Amino acid sequence: MTQYSTFDAYFREHRERHLQELTDFLRIPSISALSEHKEDMTTAANWLVQSFQEAGLENVSIDATDGHPVVYGDWLHAEGKPTILVYGHYDVQPVDPLELWETPPFEATVRDNKLYARGASDDKGQVFMHIKAVEALMKSFGKLPVNVKFMIEGEEEVGSPNLEKYIEENKEKLASDIIVISDTGMVGPGKPAVLYGLRGLAGVQIDVKGAKGDLHSGLYGGAVQNALHALAHILGSFRDAEGTIQVEGFYDNVRELSKDERAAFAAIPFDEQRVKDELQVDTLFGEKGFTYYEQTWARPTLEVNGMHGGFSGEGIKTVLPNEASAKISCRLVPDQDPDEIVDKLKAHIAKHTLPGVTVEVTEFDKGKPFIAPFDHPAIQAASRSYEKVYETPTSFIRGGGSIPIVAAFDEILQVPVVLMGFGLDTENFHAPNEHFHLENFDRGLRVLADYYFEIEQSL
């Protein structure tokens, strides 16, 4: 039997057991954002310890951080061969609104060959696949073709506040030739993709304060500044009618797409009508001169995420609100710096603050963008493993979202990061009825197992 047919047979033989084990993992409500689930976080970490050990990993440990722990394990007996560091996370998003779930979020259910549960796609399902790929190779061959280290954290869904410190303090322990992350998705059903870039993030809250309290609009209207009008003035100044951001210097450091990148994006089929139908909008909106994929993967954004102020109850209350607030987020691209962007936002807000109010700006999430050369041998090896299993060319894409810790890996450990995910945009991660297509679970196991042999030959 060939290497591929050997581990393929293993996955076939043990599929039902693997799905049951994944169901057990998904049953743990490891919600990092909610303090009442602290014990569940510990349960999930202990579950990983047992799974690591059963797969054949060694030196397994639960490493404390200032928050939820990191679970580590390795197998380092492939002398002279490359070392892969696998990163993922075992924490999940809250499940609200619960009433929109068709089945309980922590009772995994299969419908239409999709596995429904919180964490099924993001990221427990994909972490589980890496563990089972190692198990299949160890049980089938008694060894791995390369060295492997696992580092699975419990705080990704709250911004990984303690992971950079952990990485800095464990550089030697985490030393590797490449980092592999499966917390991303594919272009579409049956269309695999390797991500070689992610957008960064900068977020702020704008708080506008006017008079000492809400005022009667008949007594003071026209003579005292309305906090909501002042906020609307600021928000309206951020973009022009075509979506071009008007903050001075915002685009100064944006790295332009290369001809090869634009060609690679253009080669990916895009059905605009399908997207409009799916989103239930009559037209798409975006920066002129760029395609949908270029807009969502490689151009920066500035979006208003929420606004609050004044009276919003039933009927009408004729007041001048004295306070109003808004939350703003920017997705950033190479080579934009989150700190510089926040400084530019603050300057713009100050410039557009109307008389009669004061404005306070509070900084929130920040994350640097990430990009890797898509011709790197480790990335090309991933594309070959995808193509072997999916029998179709692999696309090279960027991600519109942000995984801030990826840039930290790049800066601290200084090794290539390979983002090879198996999720789909339609799988409702972070939303009710999150699910994972079992077709990609099955194929993904084989891709990951094959990738170890591809890396052995490529690095």
Side-chain angles (χ1 to χ4, degrees):
M1 296 176 70
T2 65
Q3 292 170 339
Y4 186 94
S5 60
T6 300
F7 62 70
D8 176 70
Y10 183 88
F11 289 132
R12 291 178 186 275
E13 180 182 352
H14 296 277
R15 185 177 190 269
E16 292 307 312
R17 174 176 64 83
H18 288 166
L19 283 178
Q20 182 56 56
E21 290 176 1
L22 177 54
T23 296
D24 293 339
F25 191 22
L26 294 171
R27 187 175 291 119
I28 305 168
S30 49
I31 304 172
S32 56
L34 302 178
S35 58
E36 60 262 36
H37 288 282
K38 184 176 181 179
E39 187 175 332
D40 296 314
M41 296 298 296
T42 300
T43 300
N46 287 327
W47 189 95
L48 282 172
V49 166
Q50 182 177 348
S51 186
F52 279 8
Q53 292 170 337
E54 290 175 353
L57 294 174
E58 302 170 341
N59 302 310
V60 178
S61 62
I62 295 179
D63 297 346
T65 72
D66 292 334
H68 299 300
V70 170
V71 184
Y72 176 87
D74 62 36
W75 189 89
L76 305 174
H77 301 291
E79 186 175 352
K81 300 296 184 181
T83 299
I84 296 174
L85 173 63
V86 176
Y87 162 82
H89 62 93
Y90 63 89
D91 64 324
V92 300
Q93 283 278 325
V95 298
D96 311 87
L98 185 60
E99 65 273 11
L100 296 184
W101 286 81
E102 294 183 22
T103 51
F106 295 109
E107 295 179 17
T109 305
V110 176
R111 300 195 301 274
D112 300 324
N113 205 34
K114 303 170 189 174
L115 182 65
Y116 285 80
R118 173 59 88 227
S121 180
D122 179 23
D123 181 38
K124 284 183 176 179
Q126 301 198 58
V127 165
F128 181 84
M129 289 160 61
H130 277 279
I131 300 170
K132 293 306 161 183
V134 168
E135 176 192 291
L137 298 182
M138 289 295 294
K139 300 297 185 184
S140 298
F141 306 107
K143 62 180 181 178
L144 302 177
V146 294
N147 302 293
V148 66
K149 300 177 180 180
F150 275 69
M151 184 189 72
I152 311 300
E153 70 152 319
E155 297 186 316
E156 195 275 343
E157 298 293 6
V158 291
S160 303
N162 297 294
L163 196 61
E164 282 195 44
K165 179 182 177 183
Y166 175 84
I167 297 170
E168 287 279 9
E169 293 175 348
N170 292 276
K171 283 183 181 179
E172 184 174 345
K173 182 177 181 176
L174 302 174
S176 59
D177 295 289
I178 62 169
I179 300 167
V180 177
I181 301 175
S182 296
D183 192 15
T184 54
M186 309 197 307
V187 174
K191 299 175 182 177
V194 179
L195 246 74
Y196 69 94
L198 291 164
R199 291 195 287 193
L201 182 65
V204 301
Q205 177 170 314
I206 305 168
D207 291 299
V208 178
K209 184 171 177 56
K212 64 178 182 179
D214 289 354
L215 302 177
H216 190 293
S217 65
L219 296 177
Y220 296 97
V224 178
Q225 188 62 263
N226 182 318
L228 272 172
H229 284 290
L231 176 63
H233 180 78
I234 293 170
L235 300 181
S237 72
F238 281 132
R239 306 194 315 190
D240 67 14
E242 294 185 337
T244 303
I245 297 165
Q246 301 299 295
V247 176
E248 185 175 351
F250 190 89
Y251 295 104
D252 283 356
N253 296 320
V254 170
R255 186 187 304 184
E256 299 297 331
L257 284 162
S258 69
K259 290 182 179 180
D260 288 344
E261 287 178 300
R262 298 196 84 162
F265 292 0
I268 301 171
F270 175 67
D271 186 340
E272 180 174 335
Q273 190 59 50
R274 182 191 65 80
V275 174
K276 290 190 291 188
D277 291 345
E278 183 179 296
L279 301 180
Q280 297 181 22
V281 297
D282 58 4
T283 187
L284 299 179
F285 169 84
E287 190 180 2
K288 301 299 181 184
F290 298 93
T291 67
Y292 177 85
Y293 288 137
E294 291 169 352
Q295 290 165 350
T296 56
W297 294 345
R299 297 297 295 173
T301 68
L302 189 158
E303 301 288 351
V304 180
N305 307 125
M307 295 181 285
H308 175 76
F311 177 70
S312 58
E314 184 178 355
I316 187 168
K317 184 180 181 183
T318 54
V319 296
L320 274 65
N322 74 313
E323 293 182 344
S325 65
K327 297 181 186 294
I328 307 295
S329 69
C330 300
R331 297 291 177 171
L332 310 179
V333 300
D335 300 291
Q336 289 181 299
D337 180 85
D339 291 320
E340 291 180 4
I341 292 299
V342 168
D343 288 342
K344 288 177 168 60
L345 289 175
K346 288 180 177 179
H348 181 91
I349 292 166
K351 181 179 178 181
H352 290 84
T353 296
L354 295 175
V357 296
T358 58
V359 175
E360 181 179 349
V361 179
T362 305
E363 301 178 17
F364 283 110
D365 292 348
K366 290 181 184 176
K368 293 184 177 180
F370 162 79
I371 192 165
F374 64 78
D375 58 355
H376 189 280
I379 292 178
Q380 293 298 315
S383 74
R384 290 193 295 274
S385 291
Y386 273 123
E387 289 173 11
K388 185 179 298 182
V389 177
Y390 281 87
E391 299 180 332
T392 190
T394 302
S395 297
F396 296 96
I397 65 174
R398 296 196 202 178
S402 305
I403 309 177
I405 199 60
V406 172
F409 278 131
D410 186 45
E411 289 186 359
I412 299 170
L413 298 182
Q414 297 186 353
V415 294
V417 180
V418 183
L419 297 159
M420 47 190 307
F422 302 91
L424 295 174
D425 289 345
T426 58
E427 289 179 336
N428 287 4
F429 38 85
H430 291 207
N433 301 309
E434 178 181 349
H435 56 278
F436 192 27
H437 285 67
L438 290 179
E439 176 188 3
N440 292 328
F441 172 78
D442 292 325
R443 289 183 170 185
L445 287 168
R446 290 153 176 81
V447 170
L448 294 174
D450 184 76
Y451 186 58
Y452 286 110
F453 293 104
E454 285 287 352
I455 287 297
E456 179 190 20
Q457 301 299 319
S458 300
L459 297 186

